[in-house]
Amino acid sequence: MTDKRLLIIGPNGIGKSNLLEAVELLGSLRSHRCSSDQDLIQWDQPQALIRAKANEHEILELELRRKGGRQARRNGKSLSRQLDLIGPLRCVGFSALDLDLVRGEPALRRQWLDRVVMQLEPIYADLTSRYKKLLRHRSHLWKQWRHQPAQQRDSLLDAFDVQMALVSTRIHRRRRRALKRLEPLAAQWQSWLSQGQEQLQLSYLPGSHLEGDEAEEPWRLAIESQLLAQRSEEERLGSCRVGPHRDEIGLLLNGNGARRFGSAGQQRSLVLALKLAELELVSELCGEPPLLLLDDVLAELDPRRQKMLLDAVGEKHQCLISTTHLEGFQTEWQQGSQIIEAGSLISSADVG
Amino acid sequence: MGQCQTCFHFSADPLCEICRDQKRNQGLLCVVADSRDLLALERTREYRGFYHVLGGLISPMDGIGPEVLQISSLVQRVDHDDISEVILALTPSVEGDTTSLYLARLLKPFTKVTRIAYGLPVGSELEYADEVTLTRALEGRRAME
């Protein structure tokens, strides 16, 4: 990829998104589309390999195995931790899923925030995957040990409470901090997009009851007692009532909830403001502008917002863009772009 | 191959070589998930107590509860024998930590319970940890709350 913008055009199902997803995986070790590696490997194959030349002297590789486990390599050398792959290929993705960031379920906003925290602190991935696992074990525990002696079940739940309280504290703290850094950036973009008409506020609404500042010990103990207190309700409803899996991010435009009261246009602009804030924060952090992945999303934006996105991204970021058709594309986006038909791309995709 | 009737390590005899060794420290008991972990610890030559092999870790997701592991036999051992310290050497995964916390509460009325410190890289399995790391982890063990 030599030009500022690479525009990949082709019909659905030809592998455009796969290519962008592969870049995203190498850059962030995550896919916005799937949470399990199983779904990233071709169905009849035992493993998948992504290899890319990130720059003059760096070749990155990530191998996914169906049995589980990943192996990362840098210039052919195996890395003991896949986290060490993060760095040379920073990227920020923007896909059709993100268009629901404002209107959609809280889970979408948590995922967005988590992607940002991941870029700030790669180790965060360990925390979230640990937390997910704890939640899964916990729900199985209720199902299987429902008829077991309560004493044994309760001692097991105690063991989970202790771990969940600690991991939850660390997740809450990181999400809150990241949101604090994002807020001024997003507010500035929102103001720019609305020509000064709209003032944005982001608020962190944690799924645990947290008081005071980020002191680890008080938060941990508070969450532990909340977990204990909700057990009978948890048994009745079949899901844990406390923790970061119930976090919400409040979006206020001029003091009103944007999710319910914002117009369609305001919501679209807000999505853009949130993504631009993410892009800016990640740039600031890694010292160089990250690669922007626009997966099937540009043609979904109206001409005015396309233009604004282009102005904001400018010549600073390299963009990888996928689309099924060029209609609806502002011509400015096509200028200076290398345009590739997806069919021809597949044959040369493995050299990246 | 069978199992030792005392510690549940691989053994052809009813009592394994380690459990027969009179020169070992009678008061120390190290709890591991399986025989491979035991062998990794033996290679350090640092630890001279006895072992107890659980046969796995608590994992509700996989249907593994305390009752399918060698936990009641462990409690019996700690209750009957004169053991001054139980060292939990379980891998620091969610399942390992769950098992450690569960065991710590169960055993605390009988004896002092410690766990090997996390000099271990996060996410690494005990089996792959090198001997230096394991030795350091053993030295740095601390009491569980």
Side-chain angles (χ1 to χ4, degrees), chain A residues 283-300:
Chain A
S283 307
E284 192 184 297
L285 277 164
C286 42
E288 55 181 305
L291 183 64
L292 181 60
L293 307 171
L294 296 167
D295 189 12
D296 230 349
V297 72
L298 211 49
E300 302 288 319

Side-chain angles (χ1 to χ4, degrees), chain A residues 130 133 136-137 144-145 163, chain B residues 59-61 65 92 95 97-98:
Chain A
R130 218 177 162 88
K133 215 172 190 185
R136 283 227 304 275
H137 275 309
Q144 285 161 18
W145 277 282
Q163 294 177 80
Chain B
S59 179
M61 219 152 55
E95 296 77 18
D97 283 356
T98 303

